[in-house]
Amino acid sequence: LYVKTLLYELVHLRQWVMGSLQLRYGKMCYCKEPVEKYDYFFQPHEIEAREQEETLYEQYMEEVCGVRIHNSIIKTISRHLL
C-alpha cells in the first residue's frame, strides 16, 4: 500500500516538473485548465495519477518483486484494503 501511495505522489511530482500541473493566478491548473470546477475525484490530474499508479505498480511488482499481477486483481485487492 505504501509503494502505491508513493507511486501516486510521484506521478504528481512528474506533472509539476513537466509543467502539466501548475498554479496559475493562484489556481491549480492541469494543462492550463483550472481544476476547481471538478470534484476532487474527477479532477484530470487526479485521474491521471490513479491510472499511472496502477500501471507503475504492476511494473514495480514484476521488475522488483518478480510477481506478475493483472490490473483487475490489483483493483480488487485495493478495494478490499481501503
Side-chain angles (χ1 to χ4, degrees), residues 28-43:
M28 178 81 66
C29 295
Y30 179 73
C31 297
K32 299 182 181 177
E33 178 186 1
V35 298
E36 64 188 19
K37 62 183 177 181
Y38 300 99
D39 288 335
Y40 172 80
F41 190 80
F42 298 106
Q43 292 177 353

Side-chain angles (χ1 to χ4, degrees), residues 4 47-59 61-62 67-79:
K4 289 184 78 172
I47 292 170
E48 180 185 48
R50 285 191 302 274
E51 290 171 351
Q52 289 296 311
E53 169 195 0
E54 297 297 336
T55 301
L56 292 168
Y57 186 68
E58 270 187 55
Q59 290 174 352
M61 290 299 290
E62 188 168 342
V67 176
R68 183 164 185 163
I69 299 178
H70 189 271
N71 200 2
S72 61
I73 295 172
I74 293 172
K75 288 180 182 176
T76 302
I77 291 170
S78 297
R79 279 191 218 113

Side-chain angles (χ1 to χ4, degrees), residues 4-19:
K4 289 184 78 172
T5 301
L6 177 60
L7 293 170
Y8 174 84
E9 295 303 334
L10 287 172
V11 172
H12 285 316
L13 177 61
R14 181 187 54 77
Q15 292 169 334
W16 280 104
V17 169
M18 299 302 290

